[in-house]
Amino acid sequence: MSRKIIRTTNAPAPVGPYNQAIAARGELIFVAGQIPLDPKTGAIVGENDIAKQTEQAMANLAAILEEAGVQMQDIVKTTVFISDMNNFVAMNQVYARYFDEASAPARACVEVSRLPKDVLVEIECIAVVP
């Protein structure tokens, strides 16, 4: 896999577990936004608990990536949608457990007015096949 971290001092440094940019070469996997649904029951996990919801959304991403033959470290870009930016710190603490800052993917995080099933977080990603 061709995955190169791009960093420059001519742009603001990352303020969390992400990098400014990733250059990638190879087959790409585009994973649809994952919300905190239990895959066995279809029930929402962690009602009103952003940490539990983030954990489930990340677990769902990991399961899809595994089926595609890639791992979390193969992710080159994530987008995190949260319903309340006041939940950012708690979401970010869970998110950071999945990526070390040196090789974390590029990321955007945006607050939205509403998410499917009124969950607190949705996460999508792009990964590159090694």
Side-chain angles (χ1 to χ4, degrees):
M1 170 185 70
S2 174
R3 184 179 188 274
K4 178 183 173 189
I5 305 297
I6 307 296
R7 293 190 185 125
T8 179
T9 57
N10 295 322
V15 293
Y18 65 93
N19 275 294
Q20 293 168 318
I22 306 288
R25 178 177 302 160
E27 182 181 7
L28 299 177
I29 307 295
F30 294 84
V31 182
Q34 295 301 302
I35 61 175
L37 292 179
D38 181 308
K40 292 182 173 86
T41 67
I44 295 170
V45 172
E47 187 173 339
N48 296 319
D49 184 331
I50 189 69
K52 288 181 182 175
Q53 289 198 6
T54 302
E55 185 69 45
Q56 185 63 54
M58 295 297 283
N60 293 345
L61 283 177
I64 293 167
L65 292 172
E66 182 179 343
E67 183 66 24
V70 297
Q71 299 175 358
M72 296 297 280
Q73 68 259 22
D74 298 317
I75 295 174
V76 294
K77 173 74 167 74
T78 63
T79 305
V80 178
F81 304 95
I82 56 177
S83 61
D84 184 346
M85 199 55 83
N86 290 319
N87 287 329
F88 178 83
V89 171
M91 176 281 299
N92 200 49
Q93 288 173 338
V94 173
Y95 180 95
R97 293 198 315 253
Y98 287 84
F99 306 106
D100 67 84
E101 289 191 26
S103 63
R107 179 181 77 182
C109 180
V110 296
E111 180 181 273
V112 296
S113 64
R114 193 168 179 203
L115 289 165
K117 298 189 177 280
D118 293 315
V119 298
L120 305 176
V121 64
E122 179 175 356
I123 306 171
E124 66 179 19
C125 72
I126 302 169
V128 64
V129 176

